[in-house]
Amino acid sequence: MALGRILVNRPRLLLLDEPFSALDSHLRDKLQLELRELLAGCGLPALLVTHSRDEAYHLCHRIAVLDQGQLLAVKEKKALFADPGSIRAASLTGCKNIAPARKTGPCQVEVPDWGIRLDTAAPVGDGVKAVGIRAHYFNPKSAQNRAPVTFVREMEEPFEWIVEFRYAGQDPASPPLWWRVPKDRRPGQFPDAFGVAPQNVLLLYR
């Protein structure tokens, strides 16, 4: 009703400040679909403020990442998730595995906390600060960036497993890494090594 009263006045810009924050997940998803259709139908530009990566991805074409008043990125949504560019943006887009890194070659970084080196698809800039690997990107069959791992613990979700693991040479003081795997693809025995495709290594510069 409130949105309808606003639209009747034909505003030039619609401002939405966390409009779904007080809703349960089912109703939130339903209203996001309805709002997306409404905005597409009326052609009205909208600015959405949210802490939810899912809301931003569902509703926005372009996403700006703000951290303590600093603008870290403004990108088309798929480009932002593919290359967040900063530690904060990677975290906000859902990357669970982030660690400090340093350049060791034109397309290679060393990650001291994990005790490994990673080849990258993108050239590594001199100012690289960290790397990120999304929890879905670990592949027990890949030969690229392959390194031995050990199982820590796991947690079951409705359709996936979250598995925590450590690299064999990992700093004991650093936190375990996350591997997310669909239930129908979870191996019967935990892998003894993981690989990561070079294009799935996120280079983070601030």
Side-chain angles (χ1 to χ4, degrees):
M1 290 291 292
L3 184 57
R5 289 194 296 270
I6 292 171
L7 293 176
V8 164
N9 293 319
R10 294 184 172 275
R12 288 181 292 175
L13 176 66
L14 183 62
L15 301 177
L16 302 168
D17 187 2
E18 301 202 43
F20 310 105
S21 59
L23 304 176
D24 63 64
S25 59
H26 173 72
L27 185 57
R28 183 167 58 244
D29 291 343
K30 184 175 183 295
L31 289 180
Q32 284 178 32
L33 289 169
E34 293 180 1
L35 179 60
R36 188 176 64 181
E37 291 181 2
L38 185 148
L39 293 176
C42 69
L44 178 66
L47 178 64
L48 171 69
V49 177
T50 180
H51 288 88
S52 168
R53 63 163 188 171
D54 293 335
E55 287 179 14
Y57 198 91
H58 292 160
L59 293 168
C60 302
H61 299 293
R62 290 175 62 80
I63 299 175
V65 178
L66 290 167
D67 182 36
Q68 298 183 355
Q70 183 180 11
L71 182 63
L72 298 182
V74 181
K75 292 185 178 182
E76 188 273 337
K77 66 180 179 184
K78 290 186 178 179
L80 178 67
F81 276 73
D83 183 20
S86 69
I87 294 171
R88 185 60 175 153
S91 178
L92 287 172
T93 57
C95 185
K96 303 299 185 187
N97 306 299
I98 299 172
R102 54 177 173 252
K103 181 177 179 178
T104 52
C107 290
Q108 188 185 74
V109 292
E110 183 180 15
V111 190
D113 282 3
W114 298 344
I116 60 172
R117 292 191 177 193
L118 296 168
D119 295 326
T120 66
V124 181
D126 292 336
V128 68
K129 295 285 192 299
V131 294
I133 302 176
R134 298 194 185 278
H136 292 96
Y137 286 167
F138 294 104
N139 186 341
K141 297 181 179 179
S142 175
Q144 297 175 299
N145 290 321
R146 190 171 182 84
V149 296
T150 57
F151 172 85
V152 176
R153 59 185 175 180
E154 61 188 359
M155 181 170 65
E156 184 178 10
E157 294 193 324
F159 307 107
E160 290 184 317
W161 284 93
I162 297 173
V163 182
E164 286 190 334
F165 70 92
R166 304 183 71 86
Y167 281 110
Q170 187 169 339
D171 182 344
S174 65
L177 288 85
W178 277 33
W179 176 41
R180 280 186 177 270
V181 58
K183 286 187 174 180
D184 62 352
R185 287 191 291 177
R186 186 180 185 276
Q189 184 175 354
F190 185 75
D192 59 3
F194 278 130
V196 179
Q199 63 267 27
N200 290 334
V201 179
L202 305 177
L203 297 171
L204 308 174
Y205 289 92
R206 54 179 173 174

